[in-house]
Amino acid sequence: MNEYIQVIRDSFVWFPFVALLFTAPYAFYNYHKYGSLWSFRILVVYSLILYLMTVYFLVILPLPSREAVTHMTGREMNLDLFGVLRDFLKEMPSHGIWHNPALWQFAFNILMLVPLGMYLRYWFGFSLGKSLLISFGLSLFFELTQLSGLYGLYPRPYRLFDVDDLLANTLGGLLGWVVMGPVMKILPARSQVDAASLKAGEHVSALRRILAAFVDGLCLVFTVFWCGRWWPEMITLYILISMACGRTLGMMTVSLQVESGHGFTGRLLRGIFSLAGLLWLPLLAARLWFPFDFAGILFWLLLCLKESADLITGHDPWYDTWTDSRIVSSIRQ
């Protein structure tokens, strides 16, 4: 039991690192589909990730040394279905029923996939048959992971491939699906969570704008490195075409668009003004004499700081105000 507790602790230690890798693509996905990051959705999805990590760690940990595995001589597979009953009866004289290790091992393998069945029914809306199939598939993946010696890392399996584990895990998925029925009555329905996410997506948050700016920044950096001396012209073309279409690639990624009270002309002027302040001004200053160069660069830095502050606080930049433009959500319920 202490060994299992240590493995669970390890999964909690590693979870923040896995969550960090997952956060950026998950944020882009949610902003693109719903226009928001809804707290309850985050709780469900991240708890699912933590659960799957924990189960996987329980399957593979603790890792033995290669030398220890090399000297193992035990069998690699148990294909005797219901062999757990034989083991249970064998342990009965010395351990009785409630202290029987075979009983507790089988029960633990059932318990491992109970949460999976609950997630499959509640969050994904899967039927009983599909949930059983997925539970069996995940259990088979775990057993094959053990049979492969952790994908060839070890010269032979260090844990037993057991068909009774397949049975127990699948029963656990079934039990979780059944248990989730009454639990769903006290939880918000998935449709309600989606509706709340879409409603929140009508508001353009600062983080959403920052993510859009990050993607556009990557596009512009790529343009500078790959277009050589023509990069100012290519950046100009990128901005003007984006404003003509009403959105940049970054805005498209997080479901944003530009609207203007002056329509197409206002969006195009917005692009021209932003290029004038953030691109053409520093280029002009760099090509003229020193006094103007210094003043121009200083003014450009102030413009960049002002736009950064507007981006963080969610205020409209100066070129939006001048052209009666605004960034709005393209998500429609």
Side-chain angles (χ1 to χ4, degrees):
M1 182 59 69
N2 290 335
E3 183 179 284
Y4 291 145
I5 293 175
Q6 181 59 47
V7 170
I8 294 173
R9 287 175 180 171
D10 289 342
S11 71
F12 274 84
V13 169
W14 282 99
F15 173 71
F17 300 99
V18 175
L20 187 62
L21 294 175
F22 178 77
T23 294
Y26 182 66
F28 278 114
Y29 168 78
N30 274 273
Y31 275 128
H32 181 76
K33 186 171 183 179
Y34 302 103
S36 67
L37 292 175
W38 193 243
S39 55
F40 186 77
R41 181 186 303 280
I42 292 175
L43 175 64
V44 172
V45 172
Y46 278 79
S47 65
L48 174 59
I49 294 173
L50 176 59
Y51 159 69
L52 291 175
M53 275 187 58
T54 302
V55 173
Y56 184 71
F57 279 18
L58 287 169
V59 169
I60 67 170
L61 297 180
L63 296 177
S65 66
R66 284 181 58 86
E67 182 180 0
V69 174
T70 303
H71 291 89
M72 287 182 177
T73 58
R75 57 180 180 159
E76 298 179 356
M77 293 191 294
N78 171 36
L79 302 180
D80 181 17
L81 188 61
F82 302 117
V84 64
L85 293 177
R86 182 185 62 251
D87 295 337
F88 175 77
L89 295 174
K90 181 180 177 180
E91 298 290 341
M92 273 285 291
S94 56
H95 294 94
I97 297 178
W98 301 114
H99 295 88
N100 196 306
L103 173 65
W104 285 107
Q105 182 177 349
F106 191 76
F108 178 76
N109 281 310
I110 291 177
L111 185 62
M112 274 180 63
L113 262 62
V114 166
L116 177 66
M118 299 175 73
Y119 280 110
L120 292 177
R121 181 171 186 179
Y122 172 63
W123 194 246
F124 298 99
F126 287 162
S127 64
L128 176 59
K130 187 176 290 188
S131 298
L132 280 174
L133 185 62
I134 293 174
S135 299
F136 175 80
L138 182 62
S139 177
L140 182 61
F141 167 72
F142 289 154
E143 295 301 316
L144 291 177
T145 296
Q146 295 175 336
L147 184 62
S148 67
L150 198 56
Y151 321 115
L153 181 63
Y154 292 95
R156 56 153 288 156
Y158 61 92
R159 287 193 177 179
L160 184 68
F161 176 99
D162 196 332
V163 292
D164 283 332
D165 291 348
L166 286 172
L167 173 63
N169 292 158
T170 306
L171 287 176
L174 168 64
L175 180 60
W177 192 93
V178 173
V179 168
M180 196 63 215
V183 176
M184 288 174 63
K185 297 178 181 179
I186 61 175
L187 293 175
R190 174 69 186 271
S191 59
Q192 293 176 314
V193 176
D194 289 345
S197 297
L198 291 170
K199 181 67 176 177
E202 296 175 0
H203 170 69
V204 180
S205 65
L207 177 59
R208 194 172 173 187
R209 296 173 64 151
I210 290 172
L211 290 176
F214 174 74
V215 174
D216 286 328
L218 290 180
C219 293
L220 297 181
V221 169
F222 178 83
T223 301
V224 169
F225 276 98
W226 285 93
C227 295
R229 65 190 184 91
W230 297 103
W231 66 266
E233 291 81 2
M234 296 306 296
I235 289 179
T236 298
L237 191 62
Y238 173 82
I239 297 299
L240 293 182
I241 291 177
S242 297
M243 289 302 97
C245 297
R247 52 170 62 182
T248 64
L249 289 176
M251 293 178 186
M252 192 181 304
T253 304
V254 295
S255 297
L256 293 176
Q257 64 186 25
V258 176
E259 288 185 354
S260 173
H262 304 291
F264 173 82
T265 303
R267 296 199 308 268
L268 201 59
L269 285 174
R270 180 187 188 272
I272 293 173
F273 288 155
S274 63
L275 285 167
L278 301 177
L279 177 63
W280 299 337
L281 176 64
L283 289 177
L284 181 64
R287 293 172 183 177
L288 295 180
W289 58 87
F290 179 78
F292 184 81
D293 183 16
F294 177 77
I297 292 297
L298 181 61
F299 182 62
W300 176 71
L301 288 174
L302 290 175
L303 281 179
C304 290
L305 288 173
K306 176 66 168 61
E307 181 165 0
S308 298
D310 290 337
L311 189 66
I312 295 173
T313 58
H315 292 102
D316 292 332
W318 57 274
Y319 44 79
D320 276 357
T321 304
W322 287 12
T323 58
D324 190 23
S325 302
R326 67 205 62 83
I327 296 177
V328 298
S329 175
S330 61
I331 296 289
R332 297 292 182 265
Q333 296 196 54

